[in-house]
Amino acid sequence: MICTSFGNIDFQPLMSKLSACEMAEIRLDLMKLSDNEVAEIFRSHPNLIATCRPQAMGSDEQKRLLQMAIKNGAAFVDLEVESPISLKIEMMGLACQHGCRVIISYHNYECTPSTNELHAIINLIIKEGADIVKIATTVQNKADAARILSLYEHYQSLVALGMGDEGKITRIASPLLGAPFTFAAPNTSKTAPGQMTDVEMSTIYKIIEGDA
């Protein structure tokens, strides 16, 4: 499944694009939305990820926006592995009450750690109670990409992908190896290095499946 990741887009254009998406990530930290708009977005679609990184707004506003998304029907909420334990416990409890699944994510914008380090990170996230583990690292060469893809041999409910041009193969291969979804960009803008558009990825999958 392709999850289209939206950021830096206004409310009305976003709403017009969501209807064509099987799944989408809403980067609340990259949008300027009113409370009513946040509520309407998450009520409008049954398969949305609520993501809100705290760097741009602070932890209190992050928590408020994520709470609003969960209460209005978010299918998933994404929490950083570095988030305070108190925030994770509170968000996971609220998510459970509203039938929302929890993604705990690890991002490394400098490199791809060793296999042992990646296993340790994933095992920690599983221990914390995540429904889905997300690993996103900067891939600089084919060996980094292979290390990311090798994780699927050991784990389920995992989305592991590489950022950057060398990581594009991981974005394509992930669902073929067991990931529940992979991330793509709309035609407007990318939310991570190396993202391809959802149209590009859909075309690739059609070729793989023999439908093109």
Side-chain angles (χ1 to χ4, degrees):
M1 185 184 303
I2 297 172
C3 178
T4 305
S5 186
F6 289 96
N8 299 307
I9 184 172
D10 291 333
F11 173 71
Q12 289 297 344
L14 171 63
M15 293 298 288
S16 68
K17 291 178 181 294
L18 280 181
S19 60
C21 297
E22 187 175 8
M23 182 179 189
E25 178 186 38
I26 307 300
R27 285 292 303 270
L28 293 166
D29 54 312
L30 300 179
M31 300 181 192
K32 294 181 179 179
L33 300 167
S34 70
D35 288 0
N36 286 339
E37 288 171 341
V38 172
E40 187 172 344
I41 287 167
F42 286 95
R43 289 172 183 168
S44 72
H45 195 291
N47 206 17
L48 299 183
I49 301 174
T51 300
C52 189
R53 310 297 181 209
Q55 290 82 358
M57 60 183 58
S59 57
D60 288 344
E61 181 67 1
Q62 176 202 28
K63 182 169 75 170
R64 192 184 73 82
L65 288 170
L66 290 178
Q67 286 174 332
M68 192 181 309
I70 292 169
K71 291 177 181 178
N72 283 281
F76 302 88
V77 61
D78 183 314
L79 304 171
E80 300 84 3
V81 69
E82 303 90 351
S83 297
I85 292 295
S86 58
L87 175 66
K88 282 187 271 196
I89 291 173
E90 184 175 352
M91 290 296 101
M92 292 173 79
L94 184 65
C96 182
Q97 293 174 23
H98 291 270
C100 175
R101 300 177 71 191
V102 176
I103 301 167
I104 297 183
S105 58
Y106 166 81
H107 295 80
N108 189 319
Y109 295 98
E110 296 181 358
C111 66
T112 297
S114 70
T115 299
N116 286 342
E117 289 175 294
L118 289 169
H119 281 273
I121 293 164
I122 294 170
N123 290 333
L124 170 64
I125 292 174
I126 292 172
K127 186 176 180 180
E128 290 188 332
D131 295 302
I132 294 176
V133 178
K134 179 186 173 186
I135 301 292
T137 68
T138 298
V139 167
Q140 298 171 339
N141 50 52
K142 291 180 176 62
D144 287 348
R147 196 153 63 252
I148 287 291
L149 294 177
S150 72
L151 297 172
Y152 289 103
E153 183 179 353
H154 304 281
Y155 300 98
Q156 298 178 339
S157 300
L158 171 71
V159 178
L161 51 86
M163 296 182 285
D165 287 341
E166 291 289 342
K168 286 182 177 179
I169 185 63
T170 66
R171 295 181 179 276
I172 296 167
S174 290
L176 306 176
L177 296 175
F181 52 83
T182 188
F183 289 91
N187 289 327
T188 49
S189 61
K190 299 179 180 181
T191 60
Q195 274 185 348
M196 291 173 281
T197 68
D198 47 9
V199 173
E200 290 172 331
M201 295 196 75
S202 180
T203 300
I204 290 170
Y205 291 130
K206 286 179 180 177
I207 292 171
I208 291 172
E209 294 166 1
D211 294 334

